[in-house]
Protein backbone atom coordinates (compact mmCIF):
# COMPACT_ATOMS: atom_id res chain seq x y z
CA UNK A 1 0.00 0.00 0.00
CA UNK A 2 1.38 3.41 -0.96
CA UNK A 3 0.90 6.04 1.73
CA UNK A 4 2.10 9.52 2.56
CA UNK A 5 3.33 10.55 5.99
CA UNK A 6 2.89 14.25 6.70
CA UNK A 7 3.83 16.16 9.83
CA UNK A 8 3.05 19.86 10.16
CA UNK A 9 3.95 21.86 13.25
CA UNK A 10 3.42 25.41 14.50
CA UNK A 11 3.68 27.55 17.62
CA UNK A 12 0.18 28.95 18.02
CA UNK A 13 0.08 29.80 21.74
CA UNK A 14 1.63 28.81 25.03
CA UNK A 15 1.07 28.96 28.78
CA UNK A 16 3.40 31.10 30.90
CA UNK A 17 5.49 32.37 28.00
CA UNK A 18 7.29 29.96 25.67
CA UNK A 19 6.67 26.80 27.70
CA UNK A 20 3.91 24.57 26.31
CA UNK A 21 0.40 24.82 24.85
CA UNK A 22 -2.72 24.34 26.92
CA UNK A 23 -4.68 21.10 26.90
CA UNK A 24 -7.69 22.97 25.51
CA UNK A 25 -5.62 24.23 22.56
CA UNK A 26 -4.27 20.75 21.78
CA UNK A 27 -7.74 19.23 22.08
CA UNK A 28 -9.16 21.78 19.65
CA UNK A 29 -6.47 21.04 17.06
CA UNK A 30 -7.16 17.30 17.42
CA UNK A 31 -10.92 17.87 17.15
CA UNK A 32 -10.58 19.78 13.88
CA UNK A 33 -8.17 17.24 12.38
CA UNK A 34 -10.43 14.33 13.27
CA UNK A 35 -13.56 16.09 11.98
CA UNK A 36 -12.16 17.48 8.74
CA UNK A 37 -9.93 14.49 8.10
CA UNK A 38 -12.67 11.89 7.92
CA UNK A 39 -12.71 11.95 4.11
CA UNK A 40 -8.99 12.27 3.44
CA UNK A 41 -6.95 10.85 6.33
CA UNK A 42 -6.18 7.25 7.14
CA UNK A 43 -5.00 8.15 10.64
CA UNK A 44 -3.60 11.06 12.67
CA UNK A 45 -1.96 12.04 15.95
CA UNK A 46 -1.50 15.40 17.70
CA UNK A 47 1.36 16.07 20.11
CA UNK A 48 3.53 18.92 21.32
CA UNK A 49 7.18 19.63 21.96
CA UNK A 50 7.79 22.74 24.04
CA UNK A 51 5.32 25.32 22.73
CA UNK A 52 4.89 23.71 19.29
CA UNK A 53 1.89 21.65 18.21
CA UNK A 54 2.62 18.86 15.71
CA UNK A 55 0.01 17.13 13.55
CA UNK A 56 1.06 13.71 12.20
CA UNK A 57 -1.14 12.34 9.40
CA UNK A 58 -1.25 9.32 7.11
CA UNK A 59 -3.09 9.60 3.79
CA UNK A 60 -2.87 8.86 0.07
CA UNK A 61 -2.96 12.39 -1.31
CA UNK A 62 0.81 12.70 -1.79
CA UNK A 63 3.25 15.33 -0.42
CA UNK A 64 2.12 18.93 -0.68
CA UNK A 65 -1.55 18.02 -1.14
CA UNK A 66 -3.65 21.16 -0.80
CA UNK A 67 -6.52 19.37 0.95
CA UNK A 68 -4.16 18.03 3.66
CA UNK A 69 -2.31 21.30 4.17
CA UNK A 70 -5.52 23.32 4.29
CA UNK A 71 -6.96 20.99 6.92
CA UNK A 72 -3.86 21.42 9.10
CA UNK A 73 -3.94 25.19 8.54
CA UNK A 74 -7.58 25.33 9.66
CA UNK A 75 -6.71 23.24 12.73
CA UNK A 76 -3.93 25.69 13.62
CA UNK A 77 -6.31 28.62 13.13
CA UNK A 78 -8.89 26.98 15.42
CA UNK A 79 -6.19 26.37 18.02
CA UNK A 80 -5.13 30.00 17.72
CA UNK A 81 -8.66 31.13 18.55
CA UNK A 82 -8.54 29.02 21.72
CA UNK A 83 -5.17 30.55 22.55
CA UNK A 84 -6.64 34.05 22.20
CA UNK A 85 -9.64 33.18 24.37
CA UNK A 86 -7.29 31.86 27.06
CA UNK A 87 -4.87 34.75 26.74
CA UNK A 88 -1.98 32.43 25.85
CA UNK A 89 1.32 33.94 24.87
CA UNK A 90 2.21 34.12 21.17
CA UNK A 91 -1.23 33.17 19.85
CA UNK A 92 -0.84 32.32 16.17
CA UNK A 93 2.85 33.25 16.25
CA UNK A 94 3.96 30.92 13.45
CA UNK A 95 1.01 31.65 11.14
CA UNK A 96 2.60 34.32 8.96
CA UNK A 97 -0.14 34.62 6.33
CA UNK A 98 -3.74 35.78 6.56
CA UNK A 99 -5.11 33.32 4.04
CA UNK A 100 -4.33 29.79 2.90
CA UNK A 101 -2.79 29.69 -0.59
CA UNK A 102 -2.75 26.02 -1.51
CA UNK A 103 0.26 24.87 0.53
CA UNK A 104 1.59 25.90 3.95
CA UNK A 105 5.21 26.02 2.79
CA UNK A 106 6.33 29.61 3.12
CA UNK A 107 3.40 30.44 5.42
CA UNK A 108 5.15 29.69 8.71
CA UNK A 109 4.40 26.11 9.81
CA UNK A 110 7.16 23.53 9.48
CA UNK A 111 6.47 20.61 7.14
CA UNK A 112 8.05 17.20 6.58
CA UNK A 113 6.45 14.68 4.22
CA UNK A 114 7.34 11.48 2.39
CA UNK A 115 5.49 9.04 0.16
CA UNK A 116 6.42 5.36 0.02
CA UNK A 117 5.19 1.83 -0.47
CA UNK A 118 4.64 0.27 2.94
CA UNK A 119 6.94 -2.59 3.86
CA UNK A 120 5.49 -5.62 5.66
CA UNK A 121 6.74 -3.97 8.85
CA UNK A 122 7.02 -0.18 8.59
CA UNK A 123 8.68 1.42 11.64
CA UNK A 124 9.56 5.11 11.72
CA UNK A 125 10.37 7.85 14.24
CA UNK A 126 8.92 11.34 14.38
CA UNK A 127 11.42 13.82 15.81
CA UNK A 128 10.28 17.28 16.87
CA UNK A 129 12.55 20.01 18.25
CA UNK A 130 11.83 23.30 19.98
CA UNK A 131 13.90 26.45 20.56
CA UNK A 132 16.25 25.66 17.68
CA UNK A 133 16.40 25.59 13.88
CA UNK A 134 16.53 22.93 11.12
CA UNK A 135 20.33 22.67 11.27
CA UNK A 136 19.97 20.97 14.65
CA UNK A 137 19.41 17.67 12.81
CA UNK A 138 22.57 17.94 10.65
CA UNK A 139 24.96 16.22 13.04
CA UNK A 140 22.64 13.34 14.09
CA UNK A 141 21.81 12.62 10.44
CA UNK A 142 25.44 12.73 9.34
CA UNK A 143 26.45 10.31 12.07
CA UNK A 144 23.49 7.98 11.59
CA UNK A 145 23.67 7.72 7.79
CA UNK A 146 27.36 8.30 7.00
CA UNK A 147 29.55 7.43 9.99
CA UNK A 148 30.36 3.75 10.69
CA UNK A 149 31.75 4.76 14.09
CA UNK A 150 28.09 5.44 15.01
CA UNK A 151 26.27 3.06 12.67
CA UNK A 152 27.81 -0.42 12.47
CA UNK A 153 25.14 -1.30 9.93
CA UNK A 154 27.21 0.64 7.37
CA UNK A 155 29.78 -2.16 7.79
CA UNK A 156 27.58 -5.15 8.63
CA UNK A 157 24.54 -4.75 6.37
CA UNK A 158 25.18 -5.08 2.58
CA UNK A 159 22.24 -2.79 1.75
CA UNK A 160 23.51 -0.05 4.08
CA UNK A 161 27.09 -0.46 2.83
CA UNK A 162 25.96 0.86 -0.56
CA UNK A 163 25.46 4.20 1.17
CA UNK A 164 22.92 6.99 1.05
CA UNK A 165 21.92 9.88 -1.18
CA UNK A 166 21.80 13.25 0.65
CA UNK A 167 19.71 16.21 -0.53
CA UNK A 168 20.99 19.36 1.19
CA UNK A 169 19.31 22.76 1.00
CA UNK A 170 20.86 26.22 1.11
CA UNK A 171 18.33 27.85 3.45
CA UNK A 172 19.94 31.29 3.06
CA UNK A 173 18.65 31.35 -0.52
CA UNK A 174 15.26 33.06 -0.38
CA UNK A 175 14.10 32.42 -3.95
CA UNK A 176 13.25 28.98 -5.28
CA UNK A 177 14.79 26.04 -3.40
CA UNK A 178 18.56 25.83 -3.91
CA UNK A 179 19.69 22.26 -3.28
CA UNK A 180 22.63 19.97 -3.90
CA UNK A 181 22.60 16.16 -4.11
CA UNK A 182 25.62 14.26 -2.78
CA UNK A 183 26.47 10.60 -2.26
CA UNK A 184 27.81 8.96 0.87
CA UNK A 185 30.43 7.61 1.18
CA UNK A 186 32.04 9.08 -1.98
CA UNK A 187 31.16 12.70 -1.11
CA UNK A 188 31.60 12.30 2.62
CA UNK A 189 34.00 15.22 3.05
CA UNK A 190 31.88 17.46 0.83
CA UNK A 191 28.79 16.60 2.87
CA UNK A 192 30.70 17.44 6.05
CA UNK A 193 31.94 20.73 4.57
CA UNK A 194 28.32 21.82 4.10
CA UNK A 195 26.69 20.41 7.22
CA UNK A 196 29.28 22.03 9.50
CA UNK A 197 27.39 25.30 8.78
CA UNK A 198 23.93 24.42 10.13
CA UNK A 199 22.60 27.97 9.84
CA UNK A 200 22.92 27.85 6.06
CA UNK A 201 23.00 24.23 4.87
CA UNK A 202 20.51 21.68 6.19
CA UNK A 203 19.51 18.15 5.26
CA UNK A 204 16.17 18.10 3.45
CA UNK A 205 16.01 14.38 2.69
CA UNK A 206 18.07 11.17 2.60
CA UNK A 207 17.51 8.20 0.29
CA UNK A 208 18.74 4.60 0.25
CA UNK A 209 21.09 3.91 -2.66
CA UNK A 210 20.25 0.21 -2.39
CA UNK A 211 16.49 0.46 -2.81
CA UNK A 212 15.98 4.07 -3.90
CA UNK A 213 13.49 4.52 -1.06
CA UNK A 214 13.32 7.67 1.01
CA UNK A 215 14.62 7.34 4.55
CA UNK A 216 14.38 10.92 5.89
CA UNK A 217 12.21 13.97 5.38
CA UNK A 218 13.04 17.08 7.41
CA UNK A 219 11.51 20.55 7.58
CA UNK A 220 13.73 23.35 6.30
CA UNK A 221 11.76 26.57 6.92
CA UNK A 222 13.62 29.63 8.25
CA UNK A 223 10.97 31.94 9.74
CA UNK A 224 13.12 35.07 9.53
CA UNK A 225 13.49 34.50 5.79
CA UNK A 226 9.70 34.48 5.51
CA UNK A 227 8.79 37.27 7.93
CA UNK A 228 11.89 39.44 7.46
CA UNK A 229 12.24 39.75 11.23
CA UNK A 230 12.67 37.52 14.26
CA UNK A 231 9.38 35.77 15.09
CA UNK A 232 10.74 32.78 16.99
CA UNK A 233 12.97 29.83 16.14
CA UNK A 234 12.06 27.47 13.34
CA UNK A 235 11.54 24.45 15.60
CA UNK A 236 12.02 21.67 13.02
CA UNK A 237 10.32 18.30 12.61
CA UNK A 238 11.69 15.19 10.94
CA UNK A 239 10.43 11.77 9.82
CA UNK A 240 12.94 8.90 9.78
CA UNK A 241 12.16 5.39 8.53
CA UNK A 242 14.24 2.72 10.28
CA UNK A 243 15.43 -0.91 9.97
CA UNK A 244 16.01 -3.13 6.88
CA UNK A 245 17.52 -0.83 4.20
CA UNK A 246 17.85 2.00 6.73
CA UNK A 247 19.81 2.34 9.99
CA UNK A 248 18.32 0.63 13.04
CA UNK A 249 16.35 2.70 15.51
CA UNK A 250 19.20 2.60 18.02
CA UNK A 251 21.64 3.84 15.38
CA UNK A 252 19.35 6.79 14.68
CA UNK A 253 18.98 7.62 18.38
CA UNK A 254 22.64 7.25 19.41
CA UNK A 255 23.88 10.62 18.05
CA UNK A 256 21.42 12.49 20.26
CA UNK A 257 23.44 11.36 23.28
CA UNK A 258 26.05 14.00 22.36
CA UNK A 259 23.84 16.90 23.40
CA UNK A 260 25.50 18.88 20.61
CA UNK A 261 25.42 22.66 20.60
CA UNK A 262 22.74 24.19 18.38
CA UNK A 263 21.39 27.65 17.66
CA UNK A 264 18.48 28.68 19.85
CA UNK A 265 17.60 29.00 23.50
CA UNK A 266 16.58 32.36 24.91
CA UNK A 267 15.23 34.70 22.21
CA UNK A 268 16.61 32.25 19.65
CA UNK A 269 19.96 34.02 19.90
CA UNK A 270 22.32 31.65 21.70
CA UNK A 271 24.31 28.46 21.31
CA UNK A 272 22.94 25.81 23.65
CA UNK A 273 23.08 21.99 23.85
CA UNK A 274 20.18 19.96 22.47
CA UNK A 275 18.44 17.93 25.20
CA UNK A 276 16.46 14.75 24.35
CA UNK A 277 13.26 14.87 26.45
CA UNK A 278 10.08 12.79 26.89
CA UNK A 279 7.05 13.36 24.68
CA UNK A 280 4.87 16.39 25.40
CA UNK A 281 7.62 18.05 27.45
CA UNK A 282 7.73 21.81 27.95
CA UNK A 283 10.72 24.12 28.18
CA UNK A 284 12.19 25.78 31.25
CA UNK A 285 15.77 26.95 31.85
CA UNK A 286 16.69 29.98 29.73
CA UNK A 287 13.63 29.33 27.53
CA UNK A 288 15.09 25.92 26.88
CA UNK A 289 17.45 24.38 26.71
CA UNK A 290 16.68 23.46 23.09
CA UNK A 291 14.82 20.15 23.23
CA UNK A 292 14.01 17.23 20.95
CA UNK A 293 11.36 14.52 21.35
CA UNK A 294 11.12 11.20 19.55
CA UNK A 295 7.95 9.19 18.94
CA UNK A 296 8.42 5.73 17.41
CA UNK A 297 5.53 4.24 15.41
CA UNK A 298 4.70 1.39 13.12
CA UNK A 299 2.19 1.96 10.33
CA UNK A 300 0.21 -0.67 8.44
CA UNK A 301 -2.42 0.08 5.79
CA UNK A 302 -2.07 3.68 6.90
CA UNK A 303 -3.04 2.94 10.49
CA UNK A 304 -0.65 4.10 13.20
CA UNK A 305 0.21 2.22 16.36
CA UNK A 306 0.37 4.09 19.63
CA UNK A 307 3.68 5.96 19.90
CA UNK A 308 6.62 4.71 21.95
CA UNK A 309 8.58 7.48 23.68
CA UNK A 310 12.17 6.78 22.62
CA UNK A 311 13.73 9.27 25.06
CA UNK A 312 11.81 8.10 28.15
CA UNK A 313 14.22 5.20 28.78
CA UNK A 314 16.33 5.61 31.98
CA UNK A 315 19.49 5.84 29.85
CA UNK A 316 18.48 9.32 28.75
CA UNK A 317 18.16 10.60 32.33
CA UNK A 318 21.94 10.63 32.58
CA UNK A 319 22.24 12.29 29.17
CA UNK A 320 19.84 15.00 30.32
CA UNK A 321 22.03 15.60 33.39
CA UNK A 322 25.08 15.96 31.16
CA UNK A 323 23.27 18.31 28.78
CA UNK A 324 22.10 20.42 31.73
CA UNK A 325 25.72 20.75 32.87
CA UNK A 326 26.77 21.85 29.38
CA UNK A 327 23.96 24.40 29.26
CA UNK A 328 24.90 25.96 32.60
CA UNK A 329 28.58 26.05 31.64
CA UNK A 330 27.80 27.92 28.42
CA UNK A 331 25.48 30.35 30.19
CA UNK A 332 28.28 31.32 32.57
CA UNK A 333 29.76 33.07 29.54
CA UNK A 334 26.72 35.36 29.30
CA UNK A 335 26.59 37.36 26.09
CA UNK A 336 30.24 36.96 25.22
CA UNK A 337 31.77 35.19 22.20
CA UNK A 338 30.46 31.75 21.29
CA UNK A 339 27.65 31.94 23.87
CA UNK A 340 25.61 34.03 21.42
CA UNK A 341 25.01 33.56 17.70
CA UNK A 342 27.05 35.54 15.16
CA UNK A 343 25.71 38.85 13.90
CA UNK A 344 24.38 37.44 10.62
CA UNK A 345 21.92 35.40 12.72
CA UNK A 346 21.13 38.31 15.05
CA UNK A 347 20.38 40.79 12.27
CA UNK A 348 16.66 39.99 12.52
CA UNK A 349 16.55 40.86 16.24
CA UNK A 350 16.37 44.18 18.11
CA UNK A 351 20.14 44.40 18.57
CA UNK A 352 20.35 45.96 15.11
CA UNK A 353 18.37 48.97 16.36
CA UNK A 354 20.86 49.46 19.19
CA UNK A 355 23.85 49.20 16.86
CA UNK A 356 22.29 51.51 14.27
CA UNK A 357 21.76 54.10 17.01
CA UNK A 358 25.45 53.94 17.91
CA UNK A 359 26.75 54.29 14.38
CA UNK A 360 26.66 58.12 14.26
CA UNK A 361 28.48 58.31 17.58
CA UNK A 362 31.62 56.74 16.11
CA UNK A 363 34.25 59.15 14.77
CA UNK A 364 37.52 58.83 12.91
CA UNK A 365 40.49 60.27 14.73
CA UNK A 366 42.49 62.92 12.86
CA UNK A 367 46.16 62.47 12.10
CA UNK A 368 48.57 63.77 14.68
CA UNK A 369 48.74 63.47 18.45
CA UNK A 370 45.64 62.42 20.38
CA UNK A 371 43.94 65.57 21.74
CA UNK A 372 43.44 65.93 25.47
CA UNK A 373 40.16 64.35 26.52
CA UNK A 374 37.70 66.72 28.14
CA UNK A 375 35.82 65.73 31.25
CA UNK A 376 32.48 64.07 30.51
Amino acid sequence: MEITLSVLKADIGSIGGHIQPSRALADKVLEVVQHKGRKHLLDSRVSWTGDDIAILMTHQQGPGAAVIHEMAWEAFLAGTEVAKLQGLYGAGQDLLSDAFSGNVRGMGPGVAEMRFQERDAEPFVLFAADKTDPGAFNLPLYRAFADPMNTPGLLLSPSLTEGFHFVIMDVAHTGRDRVIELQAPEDLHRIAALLRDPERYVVESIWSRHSGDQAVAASTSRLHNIAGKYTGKDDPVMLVRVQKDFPATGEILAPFSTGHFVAGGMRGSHNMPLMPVPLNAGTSYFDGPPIVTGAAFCVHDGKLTDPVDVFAHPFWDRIRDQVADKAVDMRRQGFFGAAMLPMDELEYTGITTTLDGLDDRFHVRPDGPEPLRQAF
Side-chain angles (χ1 to χ4, degrees):
M1 179 177 181
E2 185 178 85
I3 66 165
T4 300
L5 288 178
S6 298
V7 58
L8 291 86
K9 74 88 213 168
D11 177 356
I12 54 174
S14 178
I15 297 172
H18 294 291
I19 299 178
Q20 69 180 50
S22 68
R23 172 58 67 180
L25 186 159
D27 287 346
K28 174 55 71 172
V29 171
L30 177 61
E31 175 189 321
V32 173
V33 170
Q34 290 180 335
H35 175 69
K36 293 185 174 292
R38 286 178 295 182
K39 293 182 179 179
H40 304 292
L41 296 183
L42 300 171
D43 209 348
S44 61
R45 296 288 187 275
V46 171
S47 61
W48 67 82
T49 300
D51 55 6
D52 294 305
I53 289 281
I55 306 172
L56 173 66
M57 296 169 283
T58 64
H59 56 91
Q60 294 184 297
Q61 306 298 317
V67 65
I68 301 299
H69 283 219
E70 184 174 20
M71 180 179 55
W73 180 259
E74 291 178 356
F76 288 141
L77 288 178
T80 296
E81 290 305 310
V82 172
K84 291 177 179 178
L85 289 173
Q86 292 187 310
L88 301 189
Y89 187 76
Q93 174 178 293
D94 282 359
L95 308 184
L96 303 182
S97 178
D98 294 329
F100 181 74
S101 58
N103 189 302
V104 301
R105 294 185 186 275
M107 298 176 67
V111 185
E113 298 180 288
M114 66 169 85
R115 175 167 47 193
F116 55 86
Q117 191 75 27
E118 280 186 0
R119 299 171 289 176
D120 290 339
E122 188 58 68
F124 71 94
V125 183
L126 163 61
F127 293 97
D130 186 33
K131 303 301 182 288
T132 188
D133 56 30
F137 292 139
N138 280 9
L139 180 60
L141 289 175
Y142 177 86
R143 286 183 169 169
F145 286 88
D147 183 1
M149 295 290 281
N150 175 87
T151 303
L154 294 170
L155 305 177
L156 303 176
S157 169
S159 60
L160 269 65
T161 300
E162 293 183 34
F164 291 90
H165 178 89
F166 282 70
V167 181
I168 298 171
M169 180 178 289
D170 177 358
V171 294
H173 187 75
T174 56
R176 296 177 66 87
D177 293 348
R178 184 172 185 258
V179 299
I180 186 171
E181 301 186 21
L182 296 172
Q183 311 296 329
E186 297 94 321
D187 292 321
L188 194 63
H189 295 169
R190 297 177 181 90
I191 293 170
L194 294 175
L195 298 188
R196 62 151 298 280
D197 184 0
E199 304 312 304
R200 178 164 184 179
Y201 300 108
V202 303
V203 176
E204 180 190 55
S205 62
I206 299 177
W207 304 71
S208 167
R209 295 175 66 183
H210 173 74
S211 66
D213 287 342
Q214 187 171 0
V216 173
S219 63
T220 56
S221 297
R222 298 302 310 273
L223 290 176
H224 64 51
N225 288 345
I226 300 171
K229 61 181 180 179
Y230 179 73
T231 60
K233 293 310 284 183
D234 310 295
D235 305 334
V237 286
M238 176 170 69
L239 296 166
V240 183
R241 296 169 73 196
V242 295
Q243 307 296 149
K244 296 288 187 179
D245 294 337
F246 313 125
T249 309
E251 293 168 328
I252 298 294
L253 298 181
F256 289 98
S257 66
T258 301
H260 59 292
F261 284 98
V262 298
M266 177 62 67
R267 303 183 185 276
S269 302
H270 296 77
N271 285 307
M272 295 283 283
L274 184 65
M275 178 181 285
V277 297
L279 296 176
N280 296 333
T283 61
S284 181
Y285 174 73
F286 206 64
D287 266 9
I291 60 174
V292 60
T293 60
F297 293 89
C298 279
V299 59
H300 186 69
D301 291 339
K303 296 297 183 181
L304 296 163
T305 62
D306 290 334
V308 172
D309 188 342
V310 299
F311 294 132
H313 188 281
F315 170 86
W316 297 99
D317 293 337
R318 183 172 182 184
I319 299 302
R320 284 188 275 273
D321 289 342
Q322 294 171 351
V323 172
D325 288 341
K326 291 175 70 170
V328 172
D329 283 346
M330 180 62 93
R331 287 309 313 137
R332 290 193 178 103
Q333 199 164 310
F335 63 83
F336 191 76
M340 290 192 77
L341 298 182
M343 280 305 303
D344 59 349
E345 283 297 311
L346 297 180
E347 63 181 342
Y348 298 93
T349 70
I351 196 172
T352 56
T353 302
T354 300
L355 295 176
D356 289 345
L358 293 173
D359 192 60
D360 291 340
R361 296 176 63 178
F362 278 87
H363 63 278
V364 178
R365 288 174 176 163
D367 293 336
E370 176 72 9
L372 293 176
R373 187 179 300 277
Q374 296 179 348
F376 293 106

